């Protein structure tokens, strides 16, 4: 049994990571024995969810007093680098929430440290475990070029965290690094690379559509030219209702997803592809369960695979260039 600690016991830890660790598929392999947070309220909530764990306010104290195999980092993005460094110093494997880091210089440094030390590192890019996006990925496996991919992700507002000092960290550039593009957009950037291959050029426009106190964009429109085709990613926190949809075509066939149902169309014949309901919490948690199981397998087989840290680094590199494109109002070649 591998023993781990969660660093940052807020919303995603309480609503997704902990339920995934407690699921019986995972609980025989990974056991959470400790947690770190500066919030008393979230530490109490953690103890209610997993009794018999130890809670600390300092990661150094935790490492001194607890023998661990891994940590799972769930603090806001500006703190990821600090806790990754601390985990590397203490020689434990690492799961880290997205985005990997707040900026490219931290990402570059940590990629080198993780690769040199061969520490097992998994970013929480859990959408790759979703049957919806696996179908999109499969759609492109035999096609080399000419694909058009579109993602539409509409929200009414930025989510607040359970961080009692700074619940609105997502809309504070110093803490988050950026707005909807970095928060939700990160998932669609790594999915785009997974489905269409590496981006070669990108062009992004960011906006503040709503009257709000955000110091970040609430709307972002990104176009990425990749090895296999073009992706258009439309993201907003200024919609009237929550909605997700996606579309992919190679000129002969297409897949459509309207947030509930997925269809494939070929020669005018439509076929429904059964996918789990993405709004069902169990479905969402199951992606984390699958990711955690792969993480446990990698630790148990001591199988360092640098593709995980490279993917984490690449998502920050692409993100950084998206912001550069929006700021300079220019297409950026990668
Ligand atoms: N993969 C996904 O789909 C997904 C979804 C939501 C959030 N996230 C990511 O998870 C991370 C956390 O998001 P959240 O919504 O849970 O935020 P949150 O605000 O709910 O939780 C953050 C927690 O970190 C704690 N914290 C703050 N400073 C700390 C410090 N110095 N040391 C220890 N703990 C500290 C806070 O007290 C809080 O409990 C972010 O990186 C976010 O982008 C990922």
């Amino acid at each position: 049994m591998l023993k781990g600690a969660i660093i940052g016991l807020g919303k995603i830890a309480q609503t997704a990571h902990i339920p995934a660790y407690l699921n019986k598929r995972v609980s025989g392999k990974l056991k959470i024995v400790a947690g770190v947070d500066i919030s008393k309220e979230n530490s109490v909530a953690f103890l209610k969810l997993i009794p018999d764990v130890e809670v600390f306010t300092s990661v150094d104290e935790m490492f001194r007093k607890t023998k661990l195999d891994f940590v799972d980092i769930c603090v806001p993005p500006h703190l990821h680098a600090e806790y990754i460094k601390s985990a590397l110093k203490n020689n434990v494997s690492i799961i880290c929430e997205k985005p990997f880091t707040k900026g490219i210089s931290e990402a570059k440094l940590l990629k080198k440290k993780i690769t040199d030390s061969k520490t097992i590192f998994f970013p929480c890019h859990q959408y790759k475990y979703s049957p919806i996006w696996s179908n999109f990925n499969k759609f492109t496996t035999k096609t080399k070029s000419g694909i058009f991919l579109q993602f539409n992700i509409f929200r009414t507002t930025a989510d607040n965290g359970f961080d009692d000092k700074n619940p609105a960290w997502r809309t504070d550039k110093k803490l988050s690094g950026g707005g909807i593009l970095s928060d939700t957009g990160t998932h669609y950037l790594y999915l785009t690379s997974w489905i269409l291959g590496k981006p070669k050029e990108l062009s992004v426009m960011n906006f503040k559509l709503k009257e709000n106190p955000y110091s970040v964009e609430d709307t972002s429109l990104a176009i990425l030219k990749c090895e296999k085709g073009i992706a258009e990613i439309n993201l907003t926190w200024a919609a009237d209702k929550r909605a997700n949809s996606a579309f992919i075509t190679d000129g002969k066939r297409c897949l459509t997803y309207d947030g509930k149902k997925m269809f494939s169309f070929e020669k005018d014949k439509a076929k429904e592809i059964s996918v789990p309901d993405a709004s069902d919490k169990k479905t969402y948690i199951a992606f984390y369960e699958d990711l955690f199981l792969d993480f446990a397998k990698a630790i148990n087989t001591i199988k360092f695979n640098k593709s995980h840290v490279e993917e984490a680094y690449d998502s920050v590199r692409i993100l950084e260039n998206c912001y550069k494109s929006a700021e300079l109002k220019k297409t950026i070649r990668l």
Side-chain angles (χ1 to χ4, degrees):
M1 178 76 81
L2 299 164
K3 291 185 180 169
I6 301 178
I7 303 174
L9 304 169
K11 187 170 181 181
I12 199 67
Q14 290 179 39
T15 60
H17 288 234
I18 293 170
Y21 286 116
L22 294 178
N23 181 282
K24 59 178 185 304
R25 292 201 299 144
V26 179
S27 62
K29 299 190 167 64
L30 300 171
K31 184 176 166 64
I32 295 300
V33 297
V36 178
D37 206 299
I38 51 172
S39 151
K40 197 157 184 199
E41 211 173 284
N42 288 337
S43 302
V44 169
F46 175 57
L47 282 167
K48 275 195 192 139
L49 290 168
I50 320 185
D52 304 327
V53 281
E54 286 199 88
V55 192
F56 300 91
T57 51
S58 136
V59 81
D60 293 335
E61 189 191 358
M62 176 186 74
F63 280 123
R64 267 199 317 275
K65 294 190 174 162
T66 323
K67 201 175 154 10
L68 295 172
D69 300 296
F70 72 96
V71 293
D72 177 356
I73 300 170
C74 298
V75 282
H78 68 294
L79 297 166
H80 290 180
E82 171 189 336
Y83 285 125
I84 292 172
K85 281 184 208 154
S86 160
L88 289 171
K89 227 187 266 166
N90 285 282
N91 207 17
V92 296
S93 301
I94 305 164
I95 294 174
C96 181
E97 262 301 350
K98 59 82 199 157
F100 179 35
T101 62
K102 214 187 83 178
I104 192 73
S105 49
E106 279 178 344
K108 206 177 268 176
L109 178 87
L110 289 175
K111 181 180 131 179
K112 181 162 175 13
K113 280 182 184 280
I114 291 168
T115 310
D116 288 351
S117 63
K118 293 196 161 39
T119 301
I120 307 283
F121 173 88
F122 273 47
C124 284
H125 290 180
Q126 82 277 11
Y127 284 21
K128 286 174 75 176
Y129 293 87
S130 155
I132 297 160
W133 309 126
S134 297
N135 276 302
F136 272 62
N137 175 260
K138 257 188 249 149
F139 184 91
T140 65
T141 43
K142 288 191 186 133
T143 311
K144 286 204 169 70
S145 63
I147 298 169
F148 175 71
L149 166 66
Q150 186 188 51
F151 294 112
N152 299 302
I153 302 96
F154 302 157
R155 304 284 181 269
T156 56
T157 184
D159 273 349
N160 269 347
F162 290 178
D163 187 323
D164 41 18
K165 286 203 184 65
N166 251 319
W169 61 260
R170 277 184 175 75
T171 56
D172 180 345
K173 196 165 193 287
K174 290 192 298 299
L175 307 180
S176 59
I180 190 162
L181 177 61
S182 107
D183 186 51
T184 312
T186 293
H187 287 301
Y188 296 91
L189 294 177
Y190 69 73
L191 284 179
T192 294
S193 301
W194 189 45
I195 296 166
L196 290 185
K198 288 211 172 200
K200 306 276 184 210
E201 273 179 42
L202 55 84
S203 186
V204 176
M205 289 179 85
N206 285 341
F207 306 89
K208 270 191 69 170
L209 274 187
K210 256 191 185 171
E211 278 291 313
N212 56 44
Y214 302 174
S215 63
V216 292
E217 78 286 352
D218 65 17
T219 299
S220 180
L221 311 179
I223 295 171
L224 289 87
K225 187 173 172 214
C226 304
E227 285 162 357
K228 294 187 176 189
I230 309 289
E232 181 190 357
I233 307 173
N234 302 313
L235 303 143
T236 188
W237 279 332
D240 63 319
K241 56 178 147 337
R242 185 187 171 97
N244 297 312
S245 64
F247 174 80
I248 190 164
T249 181
D250 62 3
K252 295 186 204 85
R253 314 162 292 147
C254 77
L255 282 182
T256 64
Y257 174 64
D258 68 2
K260 286 238 175 278
K261 291 189 170 186
M262 177 174 276
F263 288 94
S264 76
F265 292 85
E266 193 165 358
K267 291 182 185 152
D268 287 335
K269 268 200 193 134
K271 190 174 122 204
E272 183 169 354
I273 299 174
S274 158
V275 288
D277 180 358
S279 63
D280 179 357
K281 275 211 74 189
K282 272 196 194 146
T283 303
Y284 185 70
I285 293 165
F287 305 158
Y288 278 102
E289 289 161 18
D290 290 339
L291 185 143
F292 293 171
L293 287 171
D294 272 357
F295 175 70
K297 205 188 290 170
I299 301 180
N300 285 327
T301 53
I302 321 172
K303 214 170 187 174
F304 173 72
N305 179 346
K306 69 177 180 183
S307 70
H308 295 288
V309 67
E310 276 175 356
E311 185 181 289
Y313 168 75
D314 236 40
S315 64
V316 176
R317 184 179 65 92
I318 297 165
L319 193 59
E320 188 101 349
N321 281 291
C322 285
Y323 280 107
K324 194 166 150 195
S325 165
E327 201 184 311
L328 301 176
K329 300 193 188 315
K330 264 186 161 174
T331 297
I332 305 282
R333 271 176 230 288
L334 301 175

